[in-house]
Amino acid sequence: MPQPKPSDPNSATAARALDPILATVRRFWGYQSLRPLQAEAIRAGLDCRDSLVVMPTGGGKSLCYQAPPAVAGRTDIVVSPLIALMKDQVDALRACGYPAAALHSGMDLEELRRTEREIAAGKHRLIFVAPERLLTPRFLELAARLGVSAFAIDEAHCISQWGHDFRPEYRQLAELKNHFKGASLHAYTATATERVRRDIIEQLRLENAAILVGSFDRPNLVYRVLPKHDVNAQVAETLRRHRGEAAIVYCISRKDTEQMAAYLAERGIRAAHYHAGMDADARRTAQDRFAAEEIEVVVATVAFGMGIDRSDIRCVVHAGMPKSIEAYQQETGRAGRDGLPAECVLFYSAADVLRWHRLIERSAEEAEVPAEVAENGKRLLEEMRRFASVLRCRHAQLSAYFGEAYPAPNCGACDFCLGEVEGVADATLLAQKVLSCVARVDQSFGIEHVADVLIGADNERVRKWRHDKLSTYGLLKEMPRKRVINLIYQLIDEGLIERTTGERPIIKLNAQSWEVMRGRRTVKLLEAKKPKSARTKIEEASWRNVDEALFEKLRALRREIAAERRVAPFVVMHDSTLRELAASKPTTIEALSRIKGLGERKLADFGDRLIACIKEPSSKA
Ligand code: ADP
Ligand code: ZN
């Protein structure tokens, strides 16, 4: 891959006078400045000083390991867990004129050998490899021949069993320091609590490492947690607020993803499902169609994510609760990586907590994971449950979990701070009705049956037990069944009702239940108001001065360029770049070069087409 030629002879001279890091970043990526901690992380890379960099998704970690080899003119290695992740990064780097390559099992032998030859000839600045390939004799020899002096470990939390995404193949990375005595290691992760951080440092044997921990807060994400009642309809309604925009819907099970995707497709939403049970081709197709903007919504299990680099995801929905705050942070973190506002909606029900609980216990019983990992899993699950059911500013809660103080009293970007959650009127009375019904059915039935009795359902089971004769029969007949079920779950969450575990859980009363029934304890129950379909303030601000019609036109042009080059549109340009273009409407190459995200290569490759698109009179359809 040839080095990019400066499009304007003066710019090269001008750039040389600047700090070499900034000059490189401007030349390849077209960024005008560095983000917090990027400078420190890049410095550590240049100085070959071990480092641990913890930044949220979208914080800009990749630049930290991409810049040093370009500045120093050397070849570095990046260890990455997924092929899709490597491929997207290599595509994006090449679009910037940055020579990079990956070696992975998805390549045929010929391609592998050709790439190895290119690497050996020093053609590439960055080589992406999977951890299992890194320590093969063949690769070790290649790396030794190149005299590699720095390794970046992406998704470094995968090395720790205290994290949420432990990968045994990462364990081998502990050997790196033996094989490359003088080389530095640079660990990168978006999710690491104190314990995981210590573990990463220990396992990789980092020495005198620069520890760079960025802020976890993502101010551009709006968090909402809503009680789950009719999840299909709730998800469809959420997605309607994001028509034509990219979204991910996370479900717990594979079956859920298929059923949900079908439901959405029937309602005219361009959606596809994605899970680890699909064959590699089908998964790749779903991913490619999403990347190419042929579909807007992917309904997926957690299997979908790490490989998805699309930066313009405007909405992440959790139709099922994630099993840890780390997972939640990482999955929601895929929204708004371009820095523009995005919405994250979690539909919460206590049933999902129990579901995860059972899954964790089962995998411990079947000895898939060691007992302490299962215990840790339950602890992480409980933290997540608390996050979902406690009513406090979501940004503040997430920050606190990652050991950070959140400064603002009102974030303006969560359901709580936006005033979208309200208490149910007469909650104590409602709770008393529910509890007395639990007592009347002898504390021997499950949630659904109790709800049926309360709403006065006329069904076989109710009649069989003669529960239609109870005084509590039909006590809440004006309420939809799903709502009653949700209220019962809230009472379970508050510890006011016990629920047994096992195949057919039943609900029972405890000491607190009696306090409520005797009027010695008041109860708070919540109800979510519907979020307004209008944009929030931060969304509003992100569209300020943007010519939305031009934005769509530029988006179409981006798709066209992407198709010509057989890469994904987000690899060509980010939405934030398009919005800047659609706001400031530059009509000269000089003016274009001031737009964030347009480096020299991109200006030379399609600057003229952008200008033509901007100048073109808008069609009056
Ligand atoms: P991470 O790997 O931490 O999730 P990325 O490296 O993918 O994040 O970066 C997230 C987004 O931020 C990308 O869209 C990238 O282009 C942009 N970005 C990174 N660094 C800068 C910078 N210094 N200036 C402007 N945009 C940046
Ligand atoms: Zn808030």
Side-chain angles (χ1 to χ4, degrees):
M1 178 130 325
Q3 292 290 313
K5 297 214 169 49
S7 49
D8 158 13
N10 292 326
S11 77
T13 338
R16 222 172 289 128
L18 288 163
D19 171 343
I21 296 177
L22 217 52
T24 302
V25 167
R26 284 189 187 157
R27 180 166 78 130
F28 287 109
W29 290 276
Y31 302 151
Q32 301 305 314
S33 57
L34 293 174
R35 293 207 182 138
L37 296 187
Q38 282 182 330
E40 291 88 332
I42 293 171
R43 263 261 81 83
L46 283 172
D47 296 347
C48 288
R49 174 181 174 193
D50 285 352
S51 62
L52 169 64
V53 182
V54 189
M55 266 186 215
T57 313
K61 286 183 289 299
S62 20
L63 189 71
C64 303
Y65 56 76
Q66 291 166 349
V71 174
R74 62 182 199 212
T75 302
D76 285 4
I77 289 171
V78 182
V79 181
S80 178
L82 287 179
I83 294 178
L85 202 70
M86 300 182 196
K87 279 193 61 173
D88 284 341
Q89 283 213 37
V90 169
D91 283 350
L93 285 170
R94 288 185 177 171
C96 297
Y98 180 118
L103 293 172
H104 57 72
S105 53
M107 295 157 75
D108 60 35
L109 198 61
E110 195 186 323
E111 216 183 338
L112 275 170
R113 295 292 174 258
R114 181 169 39 77
T115 310
E116 281 174 1
R117 279 195 300 277
E118 287 173 13
I119 294 171
K123 270 191 162 180
H124 295 290
R125 293 280 76 93
L126 215 51
I127 321 294
F128 291 80
V129 286
E132 54 275 21
R133 180 175 301 266
L134 184 64
L135 298 169
T136 58
R138 191 177 177 95
F139 191 81
L140 286 173
E141 196 206 322
L142 180 63
R145 193 138 41 100
L146 283 170
V148 172
S149 56
F151 293 81
I153 320 291
D154 205 6
E155 313 287 354
H157 60 277
C158 294
I159 203 171
S160 172
Q161 66 172 21
W162 304 118
H164 65 287
D165 196 14
F166 171 55
R167 286 170 183 253
E169 65 273 22
Y170 259 63
R171 275 290 157 83
Q172 314 165 27
L173 298 177
E175 297 298 312
L176 260 179
K177 283 271 182 184
N178 292 340
H179 290 287
F180 298 92
K181 295 245 155 38
S184 57
L185 301 189
H186 306 274
Y188 288 88
T189 177
T191 53
T193 49
E194 184 57 40
R195 187 174 199 179
V196 175
R197 257 177 244 165
R198 277 201 310 270
D199 208 18
I200 294 174
I201 293 172
E202 254 167 53
Q203 305 245 6
L204 290 175
R205 292 190 251 151
L206 303 186
E207 286 159 35
N208 179 31
I211 313 282
L212 304 166
V213 182
S215 167
F216 277 89
D217 187 52
R218 298 282 311 277
N220 60 320
L221 300 188
V222 175
Y223 298 107
R224 294 188 163 104
V225 182
L226 295 161
K228 173 149 102 179
H229 41 90
D230 184 356
V231 74
N232 284 343
Q234 287 176 299
V235 170
E237 190 184 309
T238 306
L239 294 175
R240 250 174 245 128
R241 289 201 290 277
H242 299 276
R243 230 181 261 280
E245 298 179 337
I248 305 177
V249 178
Y250 283 106
C251 297
I252 296 178
S253 79
R254 296 172 180 182
K255 212 173 93 231
D256 291 351
T257 66
E258 293 176 9
Q259 171 272 333
M260 171 77 73
Y263 175 91
L264 295 175
E266 271 166 31
R267 274 146 196 86
I269 295 171
R270 295 192 298 167
H273 65 268
Y274 183 103
H275 57 69
M278 293 155 63
D279 63 42
D281 275 350
R283 268 184 298 171
R284 192 69 220 169
T285 307
Q287 221 172 45
D288 287 348
R289 292 183 65 212
F290 184 60
E293 301 182 5
E294 284 168 30
I295 50 173
E296 267 105 38
V297 180
V298 176
V299 185
T301 59
V302 292
F304 185 71
M306 271 227 238
I308 188 68
D309 226 0
R310 199 167 161 178
S311 62
D312 62 343
I313 294 169
R314 299 268 75 85
C315 179
V316 168
V317 179
H318 281 93
M321 194 189 75
K323 63 177 170 181
S324 67
I325 293 188
E326 280 92 338
Y328 177 73
Q329 169 85 358
Q330 191 152 66
E331 284 149 24
T332 53
R334 299 198 171 106
R337 289 175 68 145
D338 49 17
L340 298 171
E343 184 186 14
C344 306
V345 183
L346 164 64
F347 292 108
Y348 167 74
S349 94
D352 287 345
V353 181
L354 293 168
R355 214 165 147 190
W356 280 121
H357 208 93
R358 280 200 292 273
L359 288 172
I360 293 172
E361 295 209 312
R362 196 175 309 153
S363 62
E365 277 160 21
E366 290 165 9
E368 281 168 15
V369 298
E372 72 262 29
V373 173
E375 276 316 305
N376 186 54
K378 287 184 199 167
R379 201 176 47 76
L380 298 179
L381 178 65
E382 173 57 19
E383 298 274 7
M384 183 63 217
R385 189 199 65 76
R386 204 173 311 149
F387 170 82
S389 52
V390 167
L391 254 200
R392 253 185 71 199
C393 170
R394 312 280 175 196
H395 282 270
Q397 259 179 284
L398 287 173
S399 294
Y401 182 78
F402 291 107
E404 238 180 279
Y406 187 77
N410 184 314
C411 73
C414 79
D415 49 358
F416 182 74
C417 295
L418 291 166
E420 292 171 354
V421 188
E422 57 185 2
V424 174
D426 298 325
T428 305
L429 185 64
L430 259 173
Q432 286 167 342
K433 290 181 179 175
V434 173
L435 294 172
S436 57
C437 188
V438 175
R440 288 277 181 272
V441 300
D442 289 332
Q443 309 187 48
S444 318
F445 290 84
I447 294 171
E448 308 244 333
H449 184 77
V450 172
D452 281 341
V453 176
L454 280 163
I455 61 165
D458 178 23
N459 66 32
E460 168 105 37
R461 210 169 139 77
V462 168
R463 282 195 303 271
K464 178 177 155 203
W465 293 98
R466 301 178 57 79
H467 286 164
D468 49 346
K469 303 288 183 283
L470 296 176
S471 60
T472 52
Y473 182 73
L475 214 49
L476 298 179
K477 61 174 173 296
E478 71 290 355
M479 233 186 237
R481 184 171 185 269
K482 293 213 159 130
R483 221 179 126 225
V484 175
I485 291 178
N486 174 259
L487 293 180
I488 298 177
Y489 275 122
Q490 286 195 47
L491 291 170
I492 296 173
D493 280 336
E494 292 295 310
L496 302 176
I497 294 183
E498 290 302 314
R499 189 185 198 229
T500 61
T501 52
E503 280 297 297
R504 293 186 147 268
I506 58 172
I507 50 177
K508 292 171 169 289
L509 304 177
N510 60 21
Q512 285 89 287
S513 327
W514 289 106
E515 285 181 23
V516 174
M517 285 205 278
R518 296 196 177 111
R520 294 203 200 116
R521 191 185 178 117
T522 56
V523 177
K524 263 201 266 177
L525 294 168
L526 302 168
E527 185 172 35
K529 284 194 254 174
K530 272 191 190 151
K532 299 163 208 79
S533 57
R535 289 169 178 163
T536 57
K537 272 200 193 118
I538 61 167
E539 284 167 325
E540 205 50 69
S542 78
W543 284 103
R544 195 166 298 141
N545 300 329
V546 176
D547 177 337
E548 295 191 30
L550 178 56
F551 173 78
E552 286 304 328
K553 254 170 59 185
L554 288 164
R555 231 179 133 192
L557 173 61
R558 175 175 67 177
R559 267 198 295 275
E560 197 179 299
I561 297 173
E564 290 163 10
R565 305 169 154 222
R566 296 168 198 278
V567 295
F570 64 82
V571 163
V572 176
M573 265 176 302
H574 287 312
D575 271 22
S576 45
T577 305
L578 295 190
R579 285 204 205 172
E580 258 191 79
L581 289 170
S584 63
K585 305 186 183 177
T587 51
T588 62
I589 290 283
E590 151 77 310
L592 267 189
S593 72
R594 284 194 294 270
I595 303 284
K596 187 192 86 183
L598 295 176
E600 291 178 6
R601 168 61 68 92
K602 290 182 186 176
L603 289 179
D605 281 356
F606 48 77
D608 295 340
R609 289 167 79 179
L610 292 176
I611 292 173
C613 180
I614 292 165
K615 280 186 172 164
E616 194 181 84
S618 49
S619 55
K620 294 176 190 72

